[in-house]
Amino acid sequence: NAGVTQTPKFQVLKTGQSMTLQCAQDMNHEYMSWYRQDPGMGLRLIHYSVGAGITDQGEVPNGYNVSRSTTEDFPLRLLSAAPSQTSVYFCASSYRQGLSYEQYFGPGTRLTVT
Amino acid sequence: AQSVAQPEDQVNVAEGNPLTVKCTYSVSGNPYLFWYVQYPNRGLQFLLKYITGDNLVKGSYGFEAEFNKSQTSFHLKKPSALVSDSALYFCAGEGGFQKLVFGTGTRLLVSP
């Protein structure tokens, strides 16, 4: 299994540009999520999905869109990039079986907005 | 609101000495708590979790954590630190169905 994969690894955008961060998992997990990591702030949840066709907002959703057309893929779209969106973005997937629960993280995408 | 706090930005320890990385939590109901480690330019790797049961949880790479309900703490411990343990450590709690709330992270530096 490749686990959770993310592309690209690095990206530089100009203010106002749009782009899509890709995330895929091959573990057949129903739950997927996007976090951003900023210095001194830990990871904060942007959007999440509990299954194909179902998405919801997390703690910091403004400026981002998501969709979930398949179990495997969960892309994150930046509509009009702003310098405040400079961050490292992590995608995660997870399963739950009774009390057993674990999230698996991708390697991250480092985004700089100038 | 669910929250997790890591009171130390950095912990320094000499190789071979025991280490502790602190975490306190504030959640309603039964707390589900996790520790993750992040090496430079890498994603987060799962270390261990507390769901229910024994208060002492053993995880990967010789790490363990002690759940203390009365002190609302979930400190990460290792009996003998290695230089290779140097990394950024995150404590997290479940802030809703499969939604993690993270602490701000603690950088562990193990000196030779």
Side-chain angles (χ1 to χ4, degrees):
Chain A
N1 286 352
V4 181
T5 57
Q6 292 183 238
T7 56
K9 290 187 177 177
F10 302 95
Q11 183 71 49
V12 179
L13 290 178
K14 295 187 188 304
T15 297
Q17 287 185 317
S18 62
M19 79 160 295
T20 299
L21 308 185
Q22 301 292 344
C23 174
Q25 54 94 5
D26 60 358
M27 297 174 282
N28 201 33
H29 289 168
E30 288 298 316
Y31 185 87
M32 297 185 73
S33 52
W34 277 101
Y35 294 87
R36 59 179 287 173
Q37 182 182 20
D38 301 294
M41 302 188 74
L43 279 77
R44 293 179 293 169
L45 182 65
I46 305 171
H47 285 286
Y48 65 98
S49 168
V50 299
I54 306 169
T55 64
D56 206 346
Q57 296 180 351
E59 181 185 356
V60 287
N62 291 342
Y64 307 95
N65 266 0
V66 292
S67 60
R68 184 98 178 269
S69 56
T70 67
T71 299
E72 294 78 19
D73 300 300
F74 190 44
L76 178 72
R77 297 184 187 83
L78 279 69
L79 308 174
S80 177
S84 61
Q85 294 178 304
T86 294
S87 188
V88 182
Y89 291 84
F90 290 100
C91 179
S93 73
S94 65
Y95 71 91
R96 180 164 235 146
Q97 282 185 317
L99 293 179
S100 180
Y101 160 50
E102 189 170 322
Q103 282 205 1
Y104 296 80
F105 285 82
T109 295
R110 186 175 295 274
L111 174 68
T112 302
V113 183
T114 61
Chain B
Q2 323 287 33
S3 66
V4 169
Q6 294 180 245
E8 303 156 316
D9 290 335
Q10 183 164 310
V11 170
N12 298 305
V13 64
E15 187 173 34
N17 283 359
L19 70 87
T20 298
V21 182
K22 296 180 180 178
C23 172
T24 59
Y25 67 89
S26 173
V27 296
S28 58
N30 294 323
Y32 291 174
L33 299 165
F34 305 81
W35 277 101
Y36 285 84
V37 60
Q38 184 180 34
Y39 297 100
N41 300 314
R42 303 285 296 275
L44 275 71
Q45 296 180 30
F46 170 81
L47 278 180
L48 50 81
K49 64 186 175 189
Y50 173 83
I51 302 295
T52 187
D54 290 339
N55 290 341
L56 186 63
V57 180
K58 294 190 182 299
S60 306
Y61 313 121
F63 283 93
E64 58 188 28
E66 186 171 9
F67 172 71
N68 188 317
K69 189 172 183 177
S70 63
Q71 297 186 2
T72 61
S73 67
F74 189 56
H75 300 332
L76 181 70
K77 300 181 179 184
K78 188 174 183 181
S80 178
L82 299 172
V83 173
S84 57
D85 292 330
S86 298
L88 187 56
Y89 290 80
F90 288 100
C91 183
E94 190 175 49
F97 181 70
Q98 299 201 45
K99 292 188 284 186
L100 292 183
V101 176
F102 284 85
T104 52
T106 298
R107 188 164 301 280
L108 174 67
L109 290 178
V110 182
S111 55

